[in-house]
Structure formats: C-alpha cells, structure tokens
Amino acid sequence: MKTEFTPEHYFAAFKKIQIAHHYLRMLQANYHAPGRTITATQMAKTMGYSRFIAANLHYGKLGRLIGKRKH
C-alpha cells in the first residue's frame, strides 16, 4: 500500500538528512524549471552529466534517502 507524502513528511525528512551539494543543485534545478517540471535529459545537462541515466540514478538515490526519513 502506498502512503502519500505530505509537505510535513518532506519537511521532517529534510530535517533528518544532510543533503549533499549535488542533490541540492538538482532540487534547485527542478524548482526553477518551468512548471517545476524537468526531464532527465534537461537535468543531466544542468548537472553537467553526459547522459540522462546519471540524472535518474542520482535523483532516485535522493528519493530513497528522503523516503527512508519520512517519519
């Protein structure tokens, strides 16, 4: 069963982790993208990665890190 993440969950998770600089840059890029939406290819270009696979990998790691710290 999936549990919806609320703003409070995100707040609690971010308080519990020390976010690496490259993760912060990814979040900022996502925030500043039109409509707060960015493709993996656009993220890779923003981050200086040669392929979108690297952007997916790092964003996935960040998502897991946050998900584990939800409560």
Side-chain angles (χ1 to χ4, degrees):
M1 181 167 110
K2 289 187 177 182
T3 304
E4 187 174 324
F5 248 58
T6 65
E8 292 78 19
H9 289 136
Y10 281 102
F11 183 76
F14 278 107
K15 282 178 61 175
K16 293 177 184 176
I17 64 173
Q18 287 193 340
I19 191 163
H21 180 70
H22 67 280
Y23 290 150
L24 181 58
R25 285 184 51 221
M26 292 181 90
L27 290 170
Q28 289 170 333
N30 207 152
Y31 179 83
H32 291 292
R36 311 269 191 264
T37 303
I38 191 167
T39 67
T41 301
Q42 292 168 325
M43 181 65 75
K45 184 177 180 181
T46 298
M47 296 299 294
Y49 302 145
S50 60
R51 300 181 67 201
F52 72 90
I53 294 169
N56 281 343
L57 174 72
H58 289 290
Y59 228 167
K61 286 182 178 183
L62 175 59
R64 282 188 296 282
L65 181 66
I66 293 168
K68 289 179 182 178
R69 303 299 189 280
K70 176 179 166 182
H71 299 288

